[in-house]
Amino acid sequence: MNCIIIDDEPMARKGMKRLVETRQELELTAMFDSAIKAAEWLQENNTDLIFLDIEMPKLNGIEFAKHIPGKSMVIFTTAYSDYALDGFELDALDYLVKPIDPERFNKAVDRALSYKKLIESAENGNESSDLEFIIVKADRKYVRIRVQYILYIEGLKDYVIIHLLDKKVVTRMTVKAMEDTLPKHSFLRVNKSYIVNKEKIDSFDNNDVFIGTTEISIGLSYRETVLNALLK
């Protein structure tokens, strides 16, 4: 996983570089002493992960993070814990307070690696028939969800609501990305906004599927595919 470091303090950059070099999964591609220089570099280059300081002259990390390309994950690094809420509101992956503890750094990197695998799975499609669980980011943490417990998925703009037997989990993800992540043999998209677990369907007709007391309409353009799948 490629990463860059942005920090205006030379010693802080060196310290972060040493931490990055302890992880074989990380490849440091660049370091910057200002967010402005990093922004110029990102116009022509991509990176998976950004270790980003907050207190910097001219352009601070909070403002810079608002314009980072969507696929780049951000881990804030700062001496001020007061910024934690701002970081999470920007959907930052994690927030490390200086001096950074190596164990805490490793936990943040592990989160980044898990999230990257989820995104790659969504982009490439996951045909695995033995997928047991998925990991999604919700409520400022990563949630492990067993696939067999999912009733159905409801799409809402750039978010999906994962309906389980006893709760709901909301995560920032498109319906298409979730559809590509879930095993095709168990899950079926029935309209533009809904994916259902076929094993949880209690009954269906030409227009709707029923899961417990929930009635989900079958989209006209999906009808033939859905009915063929359910009647097999």
Side-chain angles (χ1 to χ4, degrees), residues 174-223:
T174 65
V175 177
K176 179 62 169 64
M178 181 60 73
E179 180 185 17
D180 291 339
T181 301
L182 295 168
K184 301 293 188 296
H185 74 287
S186 296
F187 289 85
L188 181 65
R189 189 166 181 177
V190 297
N191 63 42
K192 185 178 180 181
S193 302
Y194 281 82
I195 302 168
V196 300
N197 185 339
K198 290 190 290 185
E199 296 178 358
K200 305 300 181 183
I201 295 175
D202 296 306
S203 61
F204 64 93
D205 56 29
N206 289 337
N207 300 306
D208 305 281
V209 295
F210 300 86
I211 299 177
T213 59
T214 302
E215 178 180 340
I216 302 172
S217 63
I218 301 173
L220 183 61
S221 61
Y222 295 82
R223 184 169 297 165

Side-chain angles (χ1 to χ4, degrees), residues 61-81:
I62 295 291
E63 291 301 315
F64 172 76
K66 294 178 181 179
H67 306 287
I68 290 174
K71 290 186 178 181
S72 296
M73 297 173 284
V74 176
I75 295 177
F76 280 116
T77 61
T78 180
Y80 305 95
S81 59

Side-chain angles (χ1 to χ4, degrees), residues 4-8 13 30-36 38-39 42 50-54 56 64 68 77 98:
I4 63 174
I5 296 170
I6 308 173
D7 199 310
D8 63 318
R13 290 197 302 276
M31 294 196 297
F32 303 94
D33 59 8
S34 76
I36 294 176
L42 284 170
I50 301 173
F51 292 100
L52 177 61
D53 185 27
I54 292 180
M56 293 183 288
F64 172 76
I68 290 174
T77 61
K98 301 174 184 176

Side-chain angles (χ1 to χ4, degrees), residues 8-117:
D8 63 318
E9 299 179 4
M11 291 303 296
R13 290 197 302 276
K14 290 181 181 178
M16 181 56 67
K17 181 175 182 289
R18 285 196 293 268
L19 287 171
V20 169
E21 289 174 344
T22 65
R23 295 298 299 257
Q24 295 181 348
E25 305 95 330
L26 297 180
E27 181 179 349
L28 182 61
T29 54
M31 294 196 297
F32 303 94
D33 59 8
S34 76
I36 294 176
K37 292 179 181 178
E40 293 173 351
W41 183 85
L42 284 170
Q43 290 178 1
E44 302 293 334
N45 302 275
N46 298 316
T47 189
D48 297 313
L49 178 61
I50 301 173
F51 292 100
L52 177 61
D53 185 27
I54 292 180
E55 283 289 345
M56 293 183 288
K58 295 184 180 179
L59 179 63
N60 67 38
I62 295 291
E63 291 301 315
F64 172 76
K66 294 178 181 179
H67 306 287
I68 290 174
K71 290 186 178 181
S72 296
M73 297 173 284
V74 176
I75 295 177
F76 280 116
T77 61
T78 180
Y80 305 95
S81 59
D82 295 342
Y83 288 109
L85 182 59
D86 292 328
F88 283 121
E89 287 179 347
L90 287 169
D91 205 25
L93 194 68
D94 211 331
Y95 187 99
L96 301 177
V97 178
K98 301 174 184 176
I100 298 171
D101 177 69
E103 183 177 351
R104 184 68 181 80
F105 169 81
N106 285 326
K107 288 182 179 179
V109 171
D110 289 340
R111 288 180 182 177
L113 290 168
S114 296
Y115 192 65
K116 186 172 186 291
K117 288 180 181 179

